[in-house]
């Protein structure tokens, strides 16, 4: 009897430990993952106190002066704080629905073949507004600077104005070689010519589109690891100085959150 009782008690204890471990993993680990908020944009007198990339706990307070504006990436999207005033990150922050889910395609769709199925059109009609870049990893031919590449084998060029046909010239500054590309009318996307122009870390190219007034210079930063969520993407963009993509990420999150700014 004692042996049977010990065996039963052992099984109950084992189940209890497993249940407790499962609860810890569900609430403890995920809680740590979501415990911090990250600054993704900061302007004004207090910008040095809240630089891009700064992480803060959920119970942190943010004190801003006049002309300050801080955009914070939270578990439910973005939160924009405007000074003067003191704000608690434990209050507000939007609904519980995850921005990661709503914007997974914007973050995770890196392949040119998957992008040709109509992703060229943003949520807003081109007849009403200038289209926004529909993907964080599409290279806008009208904008220069550092550009973070998530997948060097699937880089895609995107043009805002796709109402007519267009061409683009890609110039290699080192030797002056020029590679020509062409878009058909109504097409916004074009695969980067990786066979002629390999996408490597630190490579510089100058782009000039036929419908663009001036050329832009792009400096590639090939990411060693592909980001899997909003936090990873924002951190990598900040770390590598890919400001244009960071701006696009913030603007897209703000457009999808629907939350007004907190203003003092």
């Amino acid at each position: 009897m004692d042996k049977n009782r010990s065996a039963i008690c052992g099984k109950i204890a084992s189940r209890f430990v497993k249940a407790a471990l499962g609860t810890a993993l569900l609430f403890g680990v995920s809680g740590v993952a979501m415990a911090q908020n990250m600054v993704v944009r900061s302007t004004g007198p207090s910008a040095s106190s809240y630089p891009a990339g700064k992480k803060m706990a959920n119970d942190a307070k943010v004190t801003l002066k006049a002309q300050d504006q801080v955009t914070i990436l939270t578990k439910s999207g973005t939160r924009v704080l405007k000074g003067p005033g003191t704000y608690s990150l434990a209050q507000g922050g939007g609904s519980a629905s995850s921005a990661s889910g709503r914007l997974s395609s914007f973050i995770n769709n890196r392949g040119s073949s998957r992008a040709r199925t109509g992703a060229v059109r943003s949520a807003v009609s081109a007849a009403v507004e200038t289209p926004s870049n529909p993907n964080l990893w599409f290279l806008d031919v009208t904008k220069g600077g550092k550009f973070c590449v998530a997948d060097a084998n699937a880089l895609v060029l995107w043009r805002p104005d796709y109402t007519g046909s267009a061409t683009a010239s890609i110039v290699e500054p080192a030797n002056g070689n020029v590679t020509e590309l062409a878009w058909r009318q109504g097409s916004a996307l074009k695969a980067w010519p990786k066979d002629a122009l390999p996408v490597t870390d630190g490579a510089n190219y100058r782009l000039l589109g036929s419908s663009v007034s001036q050329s832009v210079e792009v400096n590639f930063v090939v990411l060693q690891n592909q980001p899997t969520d909003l936090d990873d993407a924002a951190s990598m963009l900040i770390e590598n100085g890919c400001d244009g993509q960071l701006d696009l990420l913030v603007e897209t999150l703000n457009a999808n959150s629907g939350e007004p700014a907190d203003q003092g």
Side-chain angles (χ1 to χ4, degrees):
M1 289 291 293
D2 291 338
K3 291 182 179 180
N4 291 336
R5 185 177 300 172
S6 298
I8 293 172
C9 291
K11 288 181 180 179
I12 294 174
S14 176
R15 289 173 184 171
F16 178 79
V17 170
K18 288 180 180 179
L21 179 59
T23 302
L25 289 174
L26 178 61
F27 293 102
V29 176
S30 62
V32 171
M34 302 304 295
Q36 290 188 319
N37 306 276
M38 182 165 59
V39 177
V40 291
R41 179 184 287 170
S42 182
T43 59
S46 303
S48 59
S49 299
Y50 303 101
K54 179 181 177 69
K55 294 184 178 181
M56 294 175 287
N58 285 333
D59 59 354
K61 293 186 182 297
V62 177
T63 300
L64 301 179
K65 301 176 182 178
Q67 308 303 317
D68 279 335
Q69 180 168 319
V70 177
T71 301
I72 299 174
L73 179 64
T74 72
K75 65 180 180 180
S76 54
T78 53
R79 188 174 175 192
V80 181
L81 308 178
K82 294 183 179 180
T86 297
Y87 307 92
S88 172
L89 297 185
Q91 300 174 349
S95 63
S97 62
S98 173
S100 299
R102 296 195 305 268
L103 300 170
S104 60
S105 178
F106 178 77
I107 300 294
N108 296 319
N109 180 5
R110 305 180 185 94
S112 58
S113 59
R114 291 170 57 192
R116 295 192 187 104
T117 60
V120 295
R121 294 189 180 275
S122 63
V124 182
S125 172
V128 178
E129 289 186 23
T130 301
S132 296
N133 191 335
N135 191 286
L136 186 62
W137 313 111
F138 288 173
L139 175 57
D140 187 340
V141 296
T142 67
K143 296 181 178 180
K146 283 190 174 182
F147 184 85
C148 287
V149 180
D151 187 346
N153 294 314
L155 180 60
V156 175
L157 292 165
W158 177 82
R159 59 173 181 143
D161 181 6
Y162 51 86
T163 55
S165 58
T167 60
S169 300
I170 304 176
V171 182
E172 301 175 68
N175 51 32
N177 291 340
V178 179
T179 300
E180 299 285 347
L181 298 176
W183 284 270
R184 299 188 307 274
Q185 181 177 355
S187 176
L189 306 180
K190 193 73 178 180
W192 178 271
K194 61 181 181 180
D195 293 335
L197 303 172
V199 179
T200 58
D201 188 59
N204 289 284
Y205 296 102
R206 183 164 292 278
L207 281 66
L208 178 60
S210 59
S211 58
V212 180
S213 58
Q214 60 183 11
S215 64
V216 296
E217 186 169 328
V218 177
N219 184 1
F220 287 145
V221 179
V222 178
L223 301 178
Q224 296 301 311
N225 299 305
Q226 295 187 351
T228 57
D229 55 31
L230 287 171
D231 285 348
D232 283 346
S235 295
M236 290 183 183
L237 296 178
I238 292 170
E239 180 181 349
N240 291 287
C242 298
D243 297 334
Q245 286 163 288
L246 181 63
D247 289 343
L248 175 61
L249 177 62
V250 172
E251 290 163 6
T252 303
L253 289 170
N254 287 342
N256 281 271
S257 69
E259 293 291 330
D262 293 330
Q263 192 160 359

